[in-house]
Every structure is written in structure tokens, then in C-alpha cells.
Amino acid sequence: MGARQAQPDHYVGDKAEYVREMFAGIAHRYDLLNSVLSFNRHKAWRRYAVRLANLKPGDRALDVCTGTGDFAVELYRATGRTGYVVGADFCAPMIERGRRKTERVAGQRIGMMIADALALPYPDNQFDCVTVGFGIRNVADVQQAFCEMARVARPGGRVLCLEFNQPRHWFWKPLVNFYQNRVLPRIGGLLSRRDAYTYLPASIQAFLSREELTAMMERAGLDSVRVYDLNFGSVCIHLGVKR
Ligand SMILES: C[S@@+](CC[C@H](N)C(=O)[O-])C[C@H]1O[C@@H](n2cnc3c(N)ncnc32)[C@H](O)[C@@H]1O
């Protein structure tokens, strides 16, 4: 097998390298797949998350693991022309697609940057709000990513994580699992790279619980962490406030 060893969970070799290469391979189909596989609900989830973050015109916001920039666009809509929004991702093809989108919506007013969520190139206490959408599950060190997000948020600023999770209700759990394990990889395989859409359910099932995510955010220096379930509990928002 050479240097790339099968891992006990859901990826092969170095996680960061695997994830970056996978998203580079599906960047051209990423938005289409998001819309098809979520029945176009993903936009409403991000809009709801931004409402919870309670941004005001003129605020400064950072979206890490921004991918094709959908969250950055929602942040821009909330902070307006007087605000300041940056989207950061370590995968160049995702950022390039995102830049085209943000320029269509906001001209040059959203900065799209190549940056690693585990070592953000921003000073401490810069942003009123720092978000991550469907990205935290993909980073190689979740605790470090939360520490970085908390570091660059200002005291009193919000850190928000939107991510897939497991439904808690006995009725929805098998239905959602069936969709994720059986339906989603087939549709993903038809429209894009199948391995990316077998990675997706496997990474969701191997991911941290709501309580573990809350504990990590608290260890990163965030208080009053609140959890909001969406889509029968298959999508979850964690929102904390920097001490
Ligand atoms: C599922 S996509 C989410 C994109 C976007 N946030 C959204 O809501 O659709 C996950 C993104 O996380 C990025 N990513 C994973 N690990 C990262 C890291 N350590 N630093 C920056 N970006 C990372 C990937 O390149 C990918 O674009």
C-alpha cells in the first residue's frame, strides 16, 4: 500500500492531504451536489445560522473552511457594505470557485483567501463573528480549529459551527442513516466522485457528539455554548461567545 495506510475510520493517509485533494477533485460539482443532496435546504440552514449569530451592519466576520463561499455570502448580506467579510479555505480550487461567486454578489467586498483553519493568519481579537459550515468535521484537529476561531474572535464575539450530526430521535435516526448510507453515495457517484460521497456519511458517523463539540468549544475559551437542531437533528448549530 506504500505510504498511504487505510485508517480505521473513513479516509486514507494524512487527513489534511486527503481532504484537500478530495475537495479539489469535486470543486466543480460541489454547489450542484449540495443543492441536490440537501433538497436545496443548505441555503436556509446557513441563513438561519447567520440570523442566530446576530450580526449587525458594519460587523467584521470570518468564515473558515469557506469552500465555495456560500456562508461568506450570507455573512456579507448581514454585515452589509460597511462590514468586512473574509472567507478562508486551504483548497485552492474551492476558493477559486468561491471567489467567482462572491465577486458576482459583492464585487471585491468579500475577501477570499487561502488559509489553514489550524493556523489562521489573523491577529487575536479581530472578528465579531467567526463561522464554520460543514467544515469542522473535515479538519485534522477539531480542538485546534476551535482554538484558532476563538483566538481571532473579539471578546464577546460569537463562534458558530454548522455541521451534520446524528438525529437523536429513534424515528429519524434510521431514516437519515438510510438516506446517508444508501441514497447519498449513489447520487453523489452519478454526479461526481463516488469516494467523496462515501466519505461524507462515514465522516458524519465517525464524528463527535453534540456534547463533545460543546466541550471542545468551551475548552477553546467559549462560554454559553448553545445547540440548535435542524432537519430532524441531522444538522446542528453550536453557537458560543468568546470570554
Ligand atoms: C464540506 S466543505 C464546506 C464548504 C462550505 N463551508 C459550505 O458550507 O458549503 C469543507 C471545506 O473545508 C475545507 N477544509 C478542510 N480542512 C481545512 C483546513 N484545515 N483549513 C482550511 N480549510 C479546510 C475543505 O477544503 C472544504 O472546502
Side-chain angles (χ1 to χ4, degrees):
M1 290 187 71
R4 288 166 83 81
Q5 300 287 311
Q7 299 293 311
D9 51 7
H10 51 277
Y11 59 92
V12 176
D14 174 71
K15 181 165 182 179
E17 189 194 320
Y18 176 83
V19 163
R20 191 178 1 228
E21 190 267 335
M22 183 185 71
F23 282 104
I26 63 168
H28 64 298
R29 283 293 171 96
Y30 179 79
D31 285 351
L32 171 69
L33 262 297
N34 261 359
S35 296
V36 172
L37 295 174
S38 74
F39 306 99
N40 217 24
R41 296 298 299 152
H42 67 112
K43 294 178 184 163
W45 299 334
R46 288 195 204 82
R47 272 199 301 274
Y48 180 65
V50 169
R51 272 211 305 281
L52 287 178
N54 199 22
L55 284 151
K56 296 184 297 301
D59 276 355
R60 287 169 301 170
L62 167 69
D63 181 42
V64 305
C65 302
T66 196
T68 57
D70 281 334
F71 223 145
V73 167
E74 288 306 328
L75 292 169
Y76 168 73
R77 291 192 171 120
T79 56
R81 285 168 169 256
T82 55
Y84 174 67
V85 174
V86 182
D89 198 287
F90 73 176
C91 176
M94 292 289 274
I95 278 284
E96 278 155 27
R97 299 233 144 219
R99 193 171 286 134
R100 272 179 252 160
K101 181 188 297 168
T102 57
E103 284 181 2
R104 275 198 306 275
V105 176
Q108 304 291 324
R109 284 189 293 273
I110 300 175
M112 293 291 279
M113 292 189 53
I114 295 187
D116 190 337
L118 305 186
L120 291 171
Y122 312 110
D124 300 355
N125 307 323
Q126 284 297 297
F127 296 96
D128 298 293
C129 181
V130 185
T131 58
V132 60
F134 306 109
I136 203 79
R137 181 176 30 86
N138 295 294
V139 302
D141 185 338
V142 175
Q143 183 67 72
Q144 173 64 12
F146 279 133
C147 285
E148 278 295 89
M149 292 171 73
R151 178 183 67 75
V152 300
R154 68 163 170 80
R158 279 84 67 213
V159 170
L160 184 149
C161 170
L162 171 68
E163 188 52 87
F164 293 115
N165 214 303
Q166 307 272 356
R168 283 194 266 215
H169 196 279
W170 64 269
F171 180 77
W172 293 116
K173 205 170 174 142
L175 293 177
V176 169
N177 280 347
F178 178 79
Y179 176 72
Q180 288 177 349
N181 292 324
R182 304 284 166 157
V183 182
L184 194 145
R186 277 167 213 258
I187 302 174
L190 286 175
L191 297 175
S192 185
R193 271 174 51 171
R194 188 181 166 90
D195 63 331
Y197 292 91
T198 49
Y199 164 87
L200 175 58
S203 67
I204 296 169
Q205 276 140 34
F207 194 52
L208 302 161
S209 67
R210 290 162 179 76
E211 293 73 22
E212 287 166 329
L213 273 182
T214 300
M216 283 195 170
M217 289 177 74
E218 287 170 349
R219 277 200 293 277
L222 301 164
D223 277 340
S224 317
V225 178
R226 297 190 64 178
V227 183
Y228 303 83
D229 278 357
L230 308 175
N231 207 47
F232 320 118
S234 66
V235 175
C236 200
I237 294 171
H238 283 68
L239 175 63
V241 179
K242 181 166 172 180
R243 274 168 216 146

